[in-house]
Amino acid sequence: MREAAFVKQNKDKWLKFESLLKNKNPIPPEQLSAVYIEVSDDLSYAQTFYPQSNTVLFLNEMASAAHQKMYKNKKESRNRFIGFFTEEFPLFFYHHQKQLLLAFLIFALFAVVGAFSAASDGAFVRGILGDAYVNMTLENIANNDPMAVYKQAAETDMFLGITINNIRVGLFAFTLGILAGLGTAFILMQNAVMLGSFQYFFYDKVLLWESARTIWIHGTIEISVIIVAGCAGLVVGKSLLFPGTYSRLRSFTFGIKNGLKIVISTIPFFIIAGFLEGFVTRLTQMPDWLAICIILLSLCLILFYYVFYPIYLHNKKSNDEQQLHQV
């Protein structure tokens, strides 16, 4: 069955279920269970025949809403916040792995472009990073403290300033998705070229290891969640370019809502990155093994939360549904 026919056949039923789940009045357990099973059946069918479609996202959201109503407790306001980060978001984000990969590839490509451009043109780094920053860094290198820039501001001031700036960049990457994803790609390009030229600058000064083991203490999480925020913008862009069986306005509404969820997920990580940059990165005399441990733990945290954990929860949910149907 074509997706359009599948949607037309079930549209009225889904709208009825959606209205029922949004109603704040209690739903009889038997009726709620029946709704959950039926929506899960439709979701399984859509995942099989129309993967990565808006229909899958819509049904997955409705199945999650039914699941939450079935298992919510009296401390809903408190558990809602925890549940968003531990279950709701990872399950939802499983369906946006392609956009995450695309955001990563865009960033990686332009990081290489930035490094290559810096290698080809001696003035490129100054054009990207600014004369003041380059001159200050050259002075720091001459003083045998190339990473002194991370020690200039007070710890708390630096933490707050960096965190607010990074969240602003993430919001820009998300909101500029309304330009069919091109604005998001520009933000990713801008940050990637800056990173690539920055790293080549230190490579050219035979300080690549010194710079990498320092900046990636905070940069592993910071850069990763900028890419995730870019994923949010690409989700918005995709909703405009490829509405599927939905009207462009309804698809765009889904895209904004889904992209916003992704951006919200990055805020705790931006705070962690800001804390590391404000309080830890400045400790440039720490042993290499400690810096490497922080970098590897940060990388594992990002990969776990945005890649492996969503896959695990999705597979677990699919297995639970299959067992429920067998019963």
Side-chain angles (χ1 to χ4, degrees):
M1 183 189 303
R2 299 185 64 178
E3 185 182 3
F6 177 67
V7 172
K8 183 178 180 180
Q9 176 181 310
N10 294 283
K11 183 178 179 181
D12 292 339
K13 177 184 70 175
W14 294 341
L15 291 176
K16 179 181 176 182
F17 288 167
E18 186 179 33
S19 177
L20 181 68
L21 292 171
K22 287 182 178 180
N23 195 319
K24 294 184 178 180
N25 295 327
I27 304 173
E30 298 81 5
Q31 184 181 9
L32 185 58
S33 179
V35 169
Y36 177 70
I37 291 174
E38 192 153 357
V39 171
S40 296
D41 285 339
D42 291 341
L43 175 60
S44 296
Y45 184 90
Q47 287 174 330
T48 301
F49 295 100
Y50 324 115
Q52 306 301 326
S53 70
N54 283 330
T55 301
V56 170
L57 294 176
F58 173 71
L59 291 173
N60 184 68
E61 190 170 301
M62 191 154 53
S64 295
H67 184 271
Q68 288 170 14
K69 276 188 173 291
M70 290 173 67
Y71 295 103
K72 70 178 181 178
N73 57 40
K74 294 181 179 179
K75 297 180 179 178
E76 181 178 0
S77 60
R78 177 184 171 190
N79 288 343
R80 180 73 177 81
F81 177 81
I82 297 173
F84 172 81
F85 286 100
T86 60
E87 184 172 352
E88 179 184 340
F89 173 77
L91 271 172
F92 151 82
F93 194 66
Y94 171 83
H95 300 285
H96 297 291
Q97 299 290 301
K98 287 186 176 180
Q99 285 78 31
L100 178 62
L101 176 60
L102 178 58
F104 170 77
L105 292 176
I106 291 172
F107 193 94
L109 171 64
F110 283 105
V112 172
V113 169
F116 180 79
S117 299
S120 303
D121 182 358
F124 184 79
V125 173
R126 289 184 175 273
I128 296 296
L129 301 179
D131 286 332
Y133 182 85
V134 172
N135 291 336
M136 176 192 65
T137 304
L138 288 173
E139 184 178 344
N140 290 337
I141 293 173
N143 293 331
N144 202 31
D145 193 5
M147 298 291 108
V149 64
Y150 295 106
K151 307 173 186 178
Q152 291 183 343
E155 288 93 335
T156 302
D157 292 342
M158 191 171 186
F159 161 56
L160 292 175
I162 291 294
T163 300
I164 292 171
N165 180 68
N166 286 341
I167 292 175
R168 181 182 61 83
V169 171
L171 289 173
F172 270 135
F174 160 59
T175 55
L176 290 180
I178 62 174
L179 301 177
L182 295 178
T184 297
F186 175 78
I187 294 295
L188 290 172
M189 177 195 74
Q190 189 178 45
N191 283 272
V193 168
M194 188 178 299
L195 175 66
S197 60
F198 177 86
Q199 287 285 237
Y200 182 82
F201 173 74
F202 283 98
Y203 168 79
D204 190 51
K205 304 301 178 185
V206 198
L207 289 168
L208 178 62
W209 170 247
E210 177 67 21
S211 69
R213 56 89 68 189
T214 301
I215 68 167
W216 288 102
I217 287 174
H218 64 270
T220 302
I221 292 179
E222 179 183 300
I223 296 300
S224 296
V225 286
I226 286 175
I227 292 172
V228 173
C231 168
L234 294 180
V235 168
V236 175
K238 179 188 175 186
S239 71
L240 278 170
L241 294 174
F242 307 105
T245 56
Y246 295 93
S247 69
R248 200 170 296 277
L249 178 59
R250 185 164 177 79
S251 177
F252 178 63
T253 302
F254 279 137
I256 290 291
K257 183 177 180 181
N258 293 336
L260 186 58
K261 286 183 179 181
I262 297 172
V263 170
I264 289 173
S265 81
T266 66
I267 292 177
F269 291 100
F270 276 132
I271 293 173
I272 294 172
F275 175 84
L276 289 173
E277 186 164 1
F279 292 91
V280 181
T281 301
R282 64 178 57 238
L283 306 176
T284 55
Q285 300 304 315
M286 75 169 65
D288 286 352
W289 67 265
L290 181 55
I292 292 171
C293 284
I294 295 173
I295 292 169
L296 290 178
L297 285 173
S298 298
L299 181 61
C300 289
L301 176 62
I302 290 295
L303 289 176
F304 171 77
Y305 189 71
Y306 285 105
V307 180
F308 300 118
Y309 189 51
I311 294 173
Y312 165 77
L313 281 184
H314 172 78
N315 292 339
K316 182 176 182 295
K317 182 181 177 183
S318 298
N319 292 334
D320 290 345
E321 289 172 355
Q322 289 177 4
Q323 292 176 5
L324 181 61
H325 294 159
Q326 290 172 359
V327 174

